[in-house]
Every structure is written in C-alpha cells, then in structure tokens.
C-alpha cells in the first residue's frame, strides 16, 4: 500500500510540474485500466493444484509531454499485473517485464522528435519495438519494450525505412561478475505501400559480448548451463493485399537462426496466411493457417532439454484467445500462451468476428485445430505441456463477447475450451483446458 501511495504522489508531482510550466509543454494522458476475473484450468494436466479462480488488475498510464508537433517526451507507467489478495511488489529492471508479476514499473520512457525541417523521426529511450507482422496481432519474433535508438521516415511517397539499435539483455549469467555481458541487436525494415498492396521486409541481427552466457534464450532451454551465444538473426516479410476489397489477404514469412557455442545452428521457419471477408454488416469471417518448423529426433541438442527451433526473442503473436494467448485483458495469466514457450506446430482455424445484432454488443467465435510438428520421440524428454509432437493435436473453441457501456468503458466475457489428444508419451496425466473470463477495461 505504501508503494501505491508513493506512486500516486509521484504522478501528482509530475502532473503538477507540467501544469505550472504549461508554456513549455502540453500534457496528454492516455491509458488502459483492466480488471479481469478468471475461473478455469489452463495447465493441461490433471495433476495441477493451482487456484481455479483469481482476479487480476493492471493499470497502464502513458503521459506525453508535447513541446510542439515535432518534439515530445513519453513516460509510460504500469501498475500490475497484480493478483487480488497478494501483496504488490516493486520492480526496477526495465529490461524485463517484472510488472507482469505484480510490480510497479516504468514500462517505457523516451524522447520522440522529428529532425528539423524533415519528416525523419528519431526515438531514443526505452520504447515499444514491433517488427512487421500481418497475422496474429503482433510479431512472433519481437514485440516488446526495450532500450532502443531508432530512426524512421519516408523515402518516397510509397517507400519508407526503419533502422534501430536495441539492447536485448545485459549481465545475464556471466561467469565473472566483474565482466559485463551484453546481447545487442540491429534491425532494419523497408515498408512498401501502394494502392491495395503493402509489403514490409525486415531483418534483425543480434550479437553477443564475449562473456554472454545463457541457460535459456529465445524459447530454447538447456540442461547444460552457461552456453555461449555467438549471434542470432531473423529475416522476414509481412504482406497485405486489399485491392480486392471486401476480400483482404494477409501473409507472413519469417526465418530465424541462432549460433550457440559452435554447435549446429538452431534455425526454423514460420509461415502464416489469412483471408478475411468484410462485405457483411453484421459479421467479419476469417480463415487462417499458420505453420512453424519443428525439431528432429536426431537434432544436435538431443538430450540437452527442449530442442531449438526458430529463435523467439520477445514476440506477442496469437491466434484465437486461449492456447496461443490473445486474451482480452491480462494476456498470458488467462491463457496458455503457448507461442512464448514452444514452437513446432501448425494451426488451421476460422474466426467469426464482430458479430453484432444489437448496438454496443459484439461477439467473436474462434475454431482452431492445432497439430504438432516436433518429432514425437522428443516429447518424453520434456515436461512442457505446450511442446507438441507430430502425433499430438488440440481443438480450441472460443466464444467472446464485448459490451460497450460507454465509449471508453467496455465489459467483456470470454469462454474458452481446449480438447487435447496427446500421444501419451508424457509421464503425467493430460487434461482438457477451459476458462471463463469476465471484467472491465477503461480505456482513455
């Protein structure tokens, strides 16, 4: 409670200083206050003993201190996600999402300005980085706040660019406390936008310091600790076709490769595509397909933990609203969130979105069939419930509703069920997953 009082006092001080110096900067506040109650079981195991009911809250507020149309500073705060009944803790590490564990943190803070007399935009600080993505709501590779210096802008009326430098991690599992160890990355994107067509190619290259070690990185865990990362890189393209409106076609193609301590490269692919029809007034149907490459039973890392597939830095990708994430409110706390833990799957699905027969009330229905692409012999060497062999399959159905109480206040109800058909090589018992979620989101 003392930390909450301290945080409120800090915000009041910031707002007060802005008010007394209105000539120097205008202030704009936006945010999202989420309260979500979740009843269910997402463990996929009949041996799970976690609570079946919890209430969560997360308070995000973004302050923009605007000097003029070409210069502003941004401070983005987050309180939570916290669980009702547990003491809220403080977090200070900006490079990790400690706020997801119930702390108070600065989610982002940066300077945003255009170079004088140009449209070239520069951002410096701790800010959200989104690689281009057409499917799944966000990039599977990287969609997160992290220390960044970025420049972007138009080249022609139809061609733009983005160039960034990012610090992904620092001082992680070093063998010598006196030696720094960093994992940095540079990224480049070239968005091409024409009438009815959008093509966004990109590339990211990550390089590690000499002392950088890891037990787990990019979705890959190891029994052998302190492995050295040489480099990791990704490339891909996001594609969207709208010229045949009301049909909209979207596609993603990503490839990633990690060189870890001189062993065989860890590498893999992701492909996704969707077709959406926007010609109905009462509903928007969409069919989609996604595939990620899986592990081989004779992989170089066999016996050292989960097999490496496509490296995954900090993605936020989701189809549906339960297995892969995509929950309306607190995200992975109310979802299985499988894409953050294990790749190696294909999914075929149908979404009936924005179903509306009454003003202010909308519904979405998701139907997903999910199959693993990892070699089934690897399943017995992992305890992960989300690592799917090529004989493992799942069926997900979601029924989600949203009611607009005010323009800024929305009430949600989400129902989700996942029926599992695992091969049986897992040692512990398997079980279906289900959830009932309801709550409020005040967005201002």
């Amino acid at each position: 409670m003392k930390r909450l009082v301290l945080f409120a006092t800090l915000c009041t001080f910031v707002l007060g200083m802005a008010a007394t110096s209105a000539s120097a900067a205008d202030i704009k506040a936006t945010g999202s206050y989420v309260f979500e109650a979740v009843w269910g079981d997402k463990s996929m195991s009949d041996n799970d003993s976690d609570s079946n009911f919890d209430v969560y809250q997360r308070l995000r507020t973004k302050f923009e201190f605007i000097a003029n149309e070409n210069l502003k500073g941004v401070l983005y705060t987050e309180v939570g996600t916290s669980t009702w009944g547990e003491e809220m803790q403080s977090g200070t590490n900006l490079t990790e999402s400690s706020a997801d564990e119930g702390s108070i943190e600065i989610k982002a803070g940066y300077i945003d300005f255009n170079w004088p007399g140009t449209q070239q935009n520069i951002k410096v600080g701790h800010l959200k980085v989104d690689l281009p993505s057409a499917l799944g709501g966000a990039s599977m590779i990287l969609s997160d706040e992290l220390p960044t210096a970025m420049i972007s802008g138009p080249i022609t009326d139809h061609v733009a660019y983005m160039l960034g430098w990012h610090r992904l991690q620092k001082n992680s599992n070093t063998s010598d406390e006196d030696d720094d160890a960093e994992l940095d990355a540079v990224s480049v994107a070239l968005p091409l936008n024409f009438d009815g067509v959008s093509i966004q190619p990109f590339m990211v290259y990550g390089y590690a310091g000499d002392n950088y070690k890891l037990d787990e990185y990019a979705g890959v865990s190891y029994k052998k600790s302190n492995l050295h990362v040489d480099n990791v890189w990704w490339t891909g393209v996001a594609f969207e076709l709208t010229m045949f409106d009301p049909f909209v076609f979207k596609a993603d193609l990503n490839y990633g490769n990690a060189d870890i301590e001189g062993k065989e490269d860890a590498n893999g692919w992701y492909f996704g595509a969707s077709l959406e029809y926007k010609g109905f007034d009462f509903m928007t149907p969409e069919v989609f397909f996604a595939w990620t490459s899986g592990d081989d039973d004779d992989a170089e890392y066999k016996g050292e933990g989960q097999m490496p597939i496509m490296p995954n830095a900090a993605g936020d990708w989701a189809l549906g609203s339960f297995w892969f994430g995509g929950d309306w409110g607190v995200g992975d706390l109310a979802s299985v969130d499988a894409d953050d833990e294990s790749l190696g799957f294909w999914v075929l699905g149908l979404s009936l979105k924005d179903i509306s027969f009454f003003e202010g009330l909308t519904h979405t229905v998701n139907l997903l069939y999910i199959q693993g692409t990892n070699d089934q012999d690897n399943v017995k060497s992992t305890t992960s419930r989300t690592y799917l062999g090529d004989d493992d399959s799942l069926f997900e159905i979601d029924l989600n509703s949203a009611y607009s109480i005010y323009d800024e206040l929305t009430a949600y109800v989400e129902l989700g069920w996942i029926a599992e058909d695992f091969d049986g090589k897992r040692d512990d018992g398997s079980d279906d997953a289900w959830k009932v979620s309801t709550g409020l989101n005040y967005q201002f």
Side-chain angles (χ1 to χ4, degrees):
M1 186 64 186
K2 292 181 179 178
R3 293 190 180 95
L4 280 176
V5 172
L6 178 61
F7 180 74
T9 303
L10 175 62
C11 290
T12 302
F13 176 76
V14 170
L15 290 172
M17 289 295 292
T20 58
S21 57
S23 60
D26 294 326
I27 188 167
K28 178 182 178 182
T30 57
S32 176
Y33 287 10
V34 170
F35 299 85
E36 181 174 8
V38 182
W39 181 41
D41 184 355
K42 63 175 184 176
S43 67
M44 308 294 294
S45 172
D46 59 10
N47 297 324
D48 177 64
S49 59
D50 291 343
S51 172
N52 282 336
F53 178 76
D54 275 305
V55 182
Y56 306 98
Q57 73 177 54
R58 185 189 64 218
L59 312 177
R60 290 177 173 173
T61 307
K62 178 185 289 187
F63 300 99
E64 296 180 70
F65 301 92
I66 304 169
N68 53 60
E69 61 182 7
N70 293 308
L71 172 62
K72 65 180 177 181
V74 178
L75 177 65
Y76 191 4
T77 64
E78 178 173 273
V79 182
T81 304
S82 59
T83 305
W84 283 14
E86 296 181 2
E87 182 179 357
M88 191 169 293
Q89 300 175 355
S90 63
T92 58
N93 189 348
L94 290 179
T95 63
E96 297 179 1
S97 297
S98 56
D100 291 341
E101 300 172 0
S103 65
I104 304 170
E105 75 162 12
I106 299 174
K107 190 173 180 65
Y110 59 94
I111 299 171
D112 181 343
F113 67 98
N114 293 331
W115 192 258
T118 74
Q119 293 181 297
Q120 311 312 308
N121 180 256
I122 299 171
K123 295 182 178 70
V124 179
H126 194 91
L127 56 100
K128 181 69 173 291
V129 177
D130 277 307
L131 293 180
S133 176
L135 195 69
S139 171
M140 180 176 285
I141 298 170
L142 181 59
S143 177
D144 201 6
E145 288 87 5
L146 66 159
T148 291
M150 181 185 298
I151 180 171
S152 61
I155 299 176
T156 69
D157 289 342
H158 303 289
V159 182
Y161 75 96
M162 184 282 293
L163 180 64
W165 178 87
H166 322 283
R167 172 140 289 175
L168 299 180
Q169 291 185 12
K170 183 177 176 65
N171 293 332
S172 176
N173 296 328
T174 58
S175 56
D176 188 340
E177 293 182 359
D178 296 330
D179 294 330
D180 288 339
E182 302 88 15
L183 182 62
D184 300 324
V186 292
S187 64
V188 59
L190 195 69
L192 310 172
N193 291 287
F194 303 93
D195 290 340
V197 181
S198 172
I199 305 172
Q200 301 185 71
F202 68 89
M203 186 171 184
V204 181
Y205 176 75
Y207 53 96
D210 292 339
N211 300 303
Y212 187 82
K213 306 286 185 178
L214 63 94
D215 292 310
E216 181 174 343
Y217 172 70
V220 182
S221 58
Y222 305 90
K223 288 184 178 178
K224 180 181 177 182
S225 63
N226 290 333
L227 295 176
H228 181 259
V229 177
D230 292 323
N231 57 68
V232 57
W233 60 274
W234 298 269
T235 187
V237 60
F239 177 82
E240 184 171 350
L241 184 68
T242 59
M243 65 173 58
F244 300 111
D245 184 67
F247 290 96
V248 176
F249 175 75
K250 300 177 182 179
D252 286 314
L253 181 63
N254 295 171
Y255 174 78
N257 184 294
D259 185 5
I260 302 174
E261 206 170 66
K263 294 182 179 291
E264 180 179 337
D265 287 348
N267 59 78
W269 293 86
Y270 153 64
F271 169 75
S274 70
L275 181 63
E276 190 177 52
Y277 180 73
K278 295 187 174 182
F280 298 132
D281 293 333
F282 63 93
M283 179 179 65
T284 303
E286 179 185 35
V287 293
F288 52 84
F289 172 81
W291 172 87
T292 65
S293 55
D295 291 333
D296 219 329
D297 66 343
D298 60 355
E300 178 76 16
Y301 292 86
K302 187 172 177 62
E304 295 185 358
Q306 182 176 309
M307 305 298 174
I309 319 174
M310 185 180 79
N312 178 4
D316 195 23
W317 181 92
L319 294 175
S321 58
F322 197 6
W323 174 258
F324 293 111
D327 177 82
W328 71 270
V330 295
D332 60 334
L333 292 175
S335 305
V336 179
D337 207 31
D339 70 294
D340 278 352
E341 299 179 28
S342 302
L343 301 184
F345 62 83
W346 65 265
V347 54
L348 178 65
L350 168 69
S351 287
L352 305 178
K353 302 182 295 183
D354 301 322
I355 302 171
S356 180
F357 301 103
F358 302 97
E359 184 177 358
L361 179 63
T362 59
H363 310 279
T364 297
V365 178
N366 301 315
L367 302 173
L368 288 77
Y369 177 80
I370 305 159
Q371 182 93 29
T373 59
N374 298 300
D375 193 289
Q376 199 68 38
D377 289 339
N378 295 333
V379 171
K380 58 187 177 184
S381 65
T382 179
T383 59
S384 172
R385 311 303 302 173
T386 61
Y387 183 88
L388 300 179
D390 47 26
D391 291 331
D392 296 329
S393 63
L394 305 160
F395 178 77
E396 174 182 336
I397 181 170
D398 310 311
L399 175 58
N400 306 327
S401 300
Y403 178 67
S404 179
I405 302 173
Y406 293 101
D407 291 341
E408 302 83 4
L409 181 64
T410 305
Y412 291 88
V413 176
E414 288 195 350
L415 310 177
W417 176 62
I418 301 173
E420 57 82 16
D421 186 12
F422 291 149
D423 178 70
K425 291 191 176 182
R426 289 172 170 82
D427 293 333
D428 56 341
S430 301
D431 201 1
D432 294 349
W434 59 276
K435 75 165 182 178
V436 178
S437 161
T438 185
L440 297 169
N441 182 14
Y442 170 46
Q443 202 154 12
F444 57 93

